[in-house]
Amino acid sequence: MNHQNNTDNLLIDLEHVFKVRSQVAISLEQIAETIDKAELAGDTASGKLSLERDIEDIKVASKNLRQGVFRLLVLGDMKRGKSTLLNALIGEKVLPSDVNPCTALLTVLRYGAEKKVTVYFNDGKSPQNLDFDAFKHKYTIDPAEAKKLEQEKKQAFPDVSHAVVEYPLALLEKGIEIVDSPGLNDTEARNELSLGYINNCHAILFVMRASQPCTLGERRYLENYIKGRGLSVFFLINAWDQVREALIDPEDEEELKEAEQRLRQVFKANLAEYCIVDGQDIYNERVFEISSIQALRRRLKNPQASLEGNGFPEFMQALNTFLTRERAIAELRQVRTLARQACDRTREAVKRRIPLLEQDVKQLRERISSVEPEFNKLTSIRDQFQQEIRNTRDTQAKKVADSFKTYVLNLGNTFETDFLRYQPELNLLDFLSSGKREAFNTALQQAFEQYITDKFAAWTLTAEQEINTAFVQLSRSASKYGASYNQVTDSITEKLTGEKVKLNTATTTEEDNSPAWAKWAMGLLSLSRGNLAGFAMAGAGFDWKNILLNYFTVIGIGGIITAVTGVFLGPIGFALLGLGVGFLQADQARKELVKTTKKELVKYLPQVASEQWHTVHDAVKECFDSYEKEVTQRINDDINARKSELDNLLKQKETREINRDAELKRLQTLEENVFGHLQNVESAYSNLLAYYS
């Protein structure tokens, strides 16, 4: 298809994806309903086929498709023009973006038939509904005040969790949800909320400014929270039009070219490493030079205006490709796997049932008892895999907790060089004048908090990589155990029916033939709308990163910071006072300050290391425990379903005469109907691929 390069394409393509999602959701509901009805009818015929788990999974997937949104998280420092960018994207002035006010809350923008704002609180207070003007008036603050709050490490509205803005906009109606975060350098507590969103969004729009290329704060944030975490980030370099305005002679094209070239080099040097995906350099599909204010002015004058020349069409095209092709196709591929699986399970159950209709009660009992050893083998495969998960859990929990302990105990070794870049820009003489002592203490505490936060972020990244590697290994084992499990279930079918099992030739990959529980354990089936960050398990209905996040923000670094700063501000104060005024050459005092800080820190580290060892250990353990619980539950469900499928038939045979011809027809109709609905899913998926080819 030939797409014009403009915003409307995104709407057209989103509309297309929205329709395909709805079609597939309907087909899934029909599959679930068809099996459900057949199971009810089985009660008065040859008994249920025990397909409850399939019905449940299909219903969950259908509901998720209907409710699914593409969530975009907008990140960026204060004064980067985030709200202007969003208003330009939307084509209306929804968020406060006058030259001054700063959005002081994390704001979720989603579709609503009526314009309304709901503010949610942290303290259990019920949510508050506001109109737009009241919201803008109450929850935006002046940049000077924002700066002051930031320096004091205070939140503008500490009791507020976030706001949800509902708005009747085409872009939102087609399934986009936008999360607008306050500045990067907001207090660390606020970051926890943003971090939760970082883990649960499809893409991040990271807004920077051409006139302030890659500040220390931005580099620190990228390093701590984005790097190596498998996130999809679009970097938008805003206010690119101001490069010309900053020149001595704005008309000098040569000078402009040089200035732009220099800027591009700075951005590339800092951002290139975040634009490598699977070894591919996609810098040009991820970094865009834009002018939000120009785009917004044009769109407000004329909603249909072309945005050529300010970077927007190129960015919209890349975002469109990413969401409606890569993401939507990956999501529907998983749903197709789920539908195929339900169809296969139904077909297999019918194939087992039909030959057994011939048997009398005595023969059936004999056949069922002949497969008892096979069922024991299935249980044994379950136990082996369960044991492997537990062993992995114990090894990993200890390994990661020990690495935390070692890391913390070693902080003292590099503290003097590490802490240099955080040192407060304060005259140490301020410390001696009692009026300024508090400001000095605050600055020192803030510097220390940043130091600990950065150190902690660096450690969590290595911990996540450790755990991820372990899950990749478990997913390989799941494939191996799945193959053995299949051999045993085939053998059960052969013993029961007296017929050889034909391999399903329609499927191509190893994974497609794995039993349902193994597909889940390998992360091939998505039943959650949670983490989309692209880790091995993230696609599954299981999300270990959110479990870790919950734990780690609890130990938070908060515990360490409070304890250490509480302890050390006193003694450091004494050390500085002890130096005496005459001795206070800045450099000497600075060294003294770092030395004393280190001395206090080192005293406290063993306690932090041993206290928090347990929290880290429990966090990692919980990741594997919840995985094991779900895998075991799914294997048990499968074994029990296979047993009850036989018991149901036996019970019906013992209590009634089964009309073989009517039953044969009923079962064949079930198989045909489910297959028919599956074909609808297959063709919807193929059509989506064809639409974009």
Side-chain angles (χ1 to χ4, degrees), residues 391-410:
N391 294 344
T392 306
R393 171 198 71 191
D394 296 341
T395 312
Q396 288 296 320
K398 185 176 183 311
K399 192 174 173 185
V400 174
D402 286 348
S403 91
F404 176 78
K405 191 174 180 177
T406 311
Y407 187 80
V408 169
L409 290 173
N410 286 334

Side-chain angles (χ1 to χ4, degrees), residues 491-541:
S491 159
I492 291 176
T493 305
E494 283 169 13
K495 277 191 174 182
L496 290 171
T497 61
E499 296 170 11
K500 275 268 244 209
V501 171
K502 286 194 203 70
L503 265 181
N504 183 355
T505 49
T507 56
T508 46
T509 58
E510 180 69 27
E511 287 93 325
D512 269 348
N513 289 321
S514 302
W517 62 261
K519 284 200 184 82
W520 188 91
M522 291 153 74
L524 294 176
L525 282 190
S526 171
L527 295 174
S528 80
R529 286 153 60 209
N531 184 316
L532 295 140
F535 277 78
M537 288 298 150

Side-chain angles (χ1 to χ4, degrees), residues 319-332:
L319 183 65
N320 186 354
T321 301
F322 175 73
L323 292 178
T324 62
R325 292 163 183 63
E326 295 168 34
R327 279 299 176 214
I329 288 168
E331 171 189 70
L332 286 164

Side-chain angles (χ1 to χ4, degrees), residues 285-324:
E285 295 154 47
R286 287 290 183 268
V287 181
F288 298 92
E289 299 158 3
I290 62 167
S291 165
S292 299
I293 194 81
Q294 281 187 358
L296 179 60
R297 282 174 188 150
R298 280 192 218 170
R299 292 204 72 182
L300 290 178
K301 263 191 199 156
N302 169 13
Q304 302 308 308
S306 155
L307 298 179
E308 288 299 329
N310 56 27
F312 257 79
E314 293 78 4
F315 159 58
M316 295 299 270
Q317 185 61 38
L319 183 65
N320 186 354
T321 301
F322 175 73
L323 292 178
T324 62

Side-chain angles (χ1 to χ4, degrees), residues 39-279:
E39 290 290 73
L40 280 173
D43 272 341
T44 55
S46 69
K48 289 183 170 170
L49 298 172
S50 295
L51 297 165
E52 291 85 357
R53 172 57 106 174
D54 296 273
I55 296 170
E56 190 189 322
D57 282 353
I58 286 278
K59 282 180 175 168
V60 170
S62 171
K63 183 172 165 230
N64 288 345
L65 271 184
R66 283 193 181 284
Q67 297 175 349
V69 292
F70 291 119
R71 188 178 289 129
L72 306 178
L73 173 64
V74 184
L75 288 175
D77 226 332
M78 287 192 296
K79 310 294 291 158
R80 293 291 179 271
K82 293 198 301 283
S83 298
T84 311
L85 166 83
L86 285 179
N87 289 337
L89 202 60
I90 286 159
E92 284 192 41
K93 280 186 79 171
V94 179
L95 297 166
S97 68
D98 305 349
V99 183
N100 279 333
C102 291
T103 316
L105 296 183
L106 191 126
T107 308
V108 180
L109 191 61
R110 61 168 68 125
Y111 179 74
E114 301 290 319
K115 298 181 185 182
K116 73 167 188 185
V117 183
T118 312
V119 176
Y120 292 85
F121 299 92
N122 293 321
D123 51 8
K125 206 160 65 177
S126 16
Q128 173 190 25
N129 287 321
L130 293 169
D131 66 37
F132 258 69
D133 294 334
F135 171 64
K136 286 183 186 178
H137 180 69
K138 191 167 177 184
Y139 290 108
T140 48
I141 54 175
D142 177 82
E145 191 185 340
K147 200 79 198 140
K148 183 166 171 279
L149 284 166
E150 184 201 316
Q151 280 163 354
E152 293 169 2
K153 276 284 177 194
K154 287 183 184 159
Q155 292 177 29
F157 305 100
D159 57 331
V160 175
S161 162
H162 63 288
V164 173
V165 174
E166 288 177 47
Y167 211 83
L169 281 172
L171 192 67
L172 305 176
E173 190 182 5
K174 302 287 183 283
I176 294 256
E177 185 175 286
I178 297 170
V179 182
D180 183 20
S181 68
L184 297 182
N185 40 17
D186 221 314
T187 62
E188 298 308 336
R190 177 68 75 200
N191 267 343
E192 286 169 20
L193 187 59
S194 295
L195 278 183
Y197 276 103
I198 283 179
N199 256 359
N200 293 296
C201 67
H202 289 76
I204 292 167
L205 310 185
F206 200 101
V207 186
M208 305 173 99
R209 204 174 184 87
S211 55
Q212 292 160 288
C214 302
T215 61
L216 182 65
E218 287 168 338
R219 293 205 303 273
R220 179 179 165 249
Y221 196 91
L222 288 169
E223 180 80 23
N224 284 350
Y225 302 118
I226 307 293
K227 190 175 181 177
R229 293 177 198 266
L231 303 164
S232 300
V233 188
F234 290 85
F235 293 98
L236 304 178
I237 305 168
N238 202 359
W240 193 261
D241 52 312
Q242 290 177 8
V243 178
R244 183 188 284 279
E245 290 163 27
L247 298 177
I248 295 168
D249 176 5
E251 301 305 312
D252 185 337
E253 294 302 323
E254 201 52 46
E255 194 188 344
L256 175 65
K257 212 162 140 189
E258 280 173 25
E260 289 187 330
Q261 209 40 50
R262 281 195 302 273
L263 266 182
R264 286 184 184 120
Q265 281 168 351
V266 174
F267 280 110
K268 184 132 194 180
N270 284 289
L271 304 180
E273 63 180 310
Y274 299 98
C275 302
I276 304 284
V277 175
D278 300 331

Side-chain angles (χ1 to χ4, degrees), residues 387-397 470-471 474 624:
Q387 197 47 56
E388 185 176 326
I389 299 172
R390 288 177 180 174
N391 294 344
T392 306
R393 171 198 71 191
D394 296 341
T395 312
Q396 288 296 320
F471 273 120
L474 284 175
F624 291 95

Side-chain angles (χ1 to χ4, degrees), residues 668-683:
Q668 284 169 339
T669 307
L670 163 65
E671 195 182 332
E672 282 161 19
N673 289 347
V674 171
F675 186 71
H677 298 313
L678 170 66
Q679 288 317 106
N680 294 339
V681 174
E682 296 277 3
S683 64

